[in-house]
């Protein structure tokens, strides 16, 4: 995967693909997780053809094939339908909506964060509710809170800034337990 990462960085340096721009000096062309990859580029036919060539060259050099059946495309809301179709034909992939989940979290979050992350709160509250009718020592309760209840929102918090009200609700449920 390091070779794949270097190929993407080199392609971005040579202006064959363009990653997501956050500032003039900061772009991200890819994120790699164990055996999973997120690749970002400008929604242009040329960039996408170049990206597909990188996939092909990497597969030929490494022997690792991309699983296009498990892969998908996602576009920003500003991309027109004819461009989406042209790019879809290059990759032969399904197009997914904005609110698909990736690794258990939403891939994009709109203005109503509380509704997206209410599921995290419900998981914590559900765990605590299951423990309510059992007899635990105060030390046992503390361990359950630290090991289980606090671990549930920590993954989401490592990716997103959770709404303060949601954090307060989770904290109240733990304190009540």
């Amino acid at each position: 995967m390091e070779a794949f990462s270097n190929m993407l960085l080199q392609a971005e340096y040579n202006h064959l693909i363009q990653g997501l721009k956050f500032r003039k000096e900061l772009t991200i062309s890819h994120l790699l997780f164990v055996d999973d990859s997120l690749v970002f580029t400008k929604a242009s036919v040329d960039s996408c053809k170049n990206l597909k060539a990188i996939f092909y060259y990497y597969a030929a050099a490494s022997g690792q094939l991309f699983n296009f059946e498990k892969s998908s495309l996602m576009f920003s809301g500003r991309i027109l339908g004819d461009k989406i179709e042209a790019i879809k034909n290059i990759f032969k992939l399904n197009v997914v909506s904005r609110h698909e989940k990736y690794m258990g979290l939403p891939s994009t979050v709109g203005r109503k964060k509380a509704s997206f992350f209410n599921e995290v709160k419900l998981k914590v509250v559900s765990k605590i509710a299951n423990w309510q009718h059992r007899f635990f020592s105060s030390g046992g309760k503390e361990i359950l809170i630290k090991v289980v209840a606090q671990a549930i929102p920590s993954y989401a918090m490592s990716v997103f800034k959770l709404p303060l009200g949601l954090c307060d609700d989770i904290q109240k449920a733990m304190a009540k337990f």
Side-chain angles (χ1 to χ4, degrees), residues 6 17 20 27 31 39 41 53-54 63 65 69 95 98 100 106-107 112 114 151 155 162 166 168-169 173:
N6 287 331
I17 64 172
L20 291 177
T27 61
L31 297 171
V39 181
T41 192
I54 293 167
L65 299 176
E69 290 179 14
V95 176
R98 318 181 117 258
E100 294 288 323
S107 56
K112 295 184 179 183
Y155 172 59
L162 298 185
L166 183 91
D168 288 342
D169 291 347

Side-chain angles (χ1 to χ4, degrees), residues 105 153-162:
L105 295 174
S154 65
Y155 172 59
M157 293 171 86
S158 71
V159 178
F160 295 105
K161 185 176 179 180
L162 298 185

Side-chain angles (χ1 to χ4, degrees), residues 93-109:
L93 295 175
N94 291 327
V95 176
V96 295
S97 68
R98 318 181 117 258
H99 299 293
E100 294 288 323
K101 287 190 175 188
Y102 179 73
M103 296 178 73
L105 295 174
S107 56
T108 58
V109 178

Side-chain angles (χ1 to χ4, degrees), residues 31-106:
L31 297 171
L32 305 176
F33 307 96
V34 187
D35 64 345
D36 217 0
S37 306
L38 289 173
V39 181
F40 309 100
T41 192
K42 185 178 180 179
S44 74
V45 171
D46 288 339
S47 290
C48 292
K49 284 181 179 178
N50 292 332
L51 185 58
K52 181 128 186 207
I54 293 167
F55 293 161
Y56 173 78
Y57 291 129
Y58 176 74
S62 68
Q64 294 180 343
L65 299 176
F66 289 91
N67 189 343
F68 287 101
E69 290 179 14
K70 290 185 178 180
S71 301
S72 57
L73 295 169
M74 187 171 87
F75 294 91
S76 74
R78 294 178 277 154
I79 308 301
L80 300 175
D82 57 334
K83 190 177 271 192
I84 290 173
E85 279 302 312
I87 292 169
K88 185 178 172 182
N89 288 332
I90 292 169
F91 291 106
K92 308 286 190 241
L93 295 175
N94 291 327
V95 176
V96 295
S97 68
R98 318 181 117 258
H99 299 293
E100 294 288 323
K101 287 190 175 188
Y102 179 73
M103 296 178 73
L105 295 174

